[in-house]
Amino acid sequence: TILPPWLQMVSAVLPATYIFDGMRAVIIDHQVRGDLLALAAGLNLVWLGAGMSAFLMFHAQARERGMLLQVGE
C-alpha cells in the first residue's frame, strides 16, 4: 500500500476499504470475496450504531437545555 502507516490505521475502520479490496479481487482474481463484504457490512452496522447513539445523546442534551424549537405547542 502507498498510504502512510497512520492513514492505514484510519482506513482499517472504513467499510469502503474492504469494498474496494473486494472489487479488486473480482477484477484481478475473478473471485468474489464474501469475507470482505461481510466485514464491510459489519463495519457499516458499527458506524450506524455509533451515529445513532451520538444523535440520541445530542438530542437528549438539547432537550435538557431547551434548545429545541417548540412547534405546535
Side-chain angles (χ1 to χ4, degrees):
T1 181
I2 59 171
L3 296 175
W6 67 272
L7 200 51
Q8 289 178 16
M9 291 187 288
V10 172
S11 73
V13 296
L14 299 176
T17 301
Y18 302 101
I19 295 297
F20 292 139
D21 286 344
M23 288 190 298
R24 189 176 299 116
V26 168
I27 292 171
I28 295 172
D29 302 330
H30 304 290
Q31 66 177 357
V32 176
R33 296 278 312 267
D35 58 333
L36 294 176
L37 182 60
L39 185 57
L43 282 173
N44 276 325
L45 290 175
V46 168
W47 282 110
L48 180 64
M52 288 174 58
S53 297
F55 172 79
L56 291 174
M57 181 183 68
F58 292 134
H59 184 265
Q61 287 179 359
R63 286 188 70 163
E64 289 173 3
R65 295 177 184 167
M67 298 174 71
L68 296 178
L69 179 65
Q70 295 181 3
V71 177
E73 292 184 18

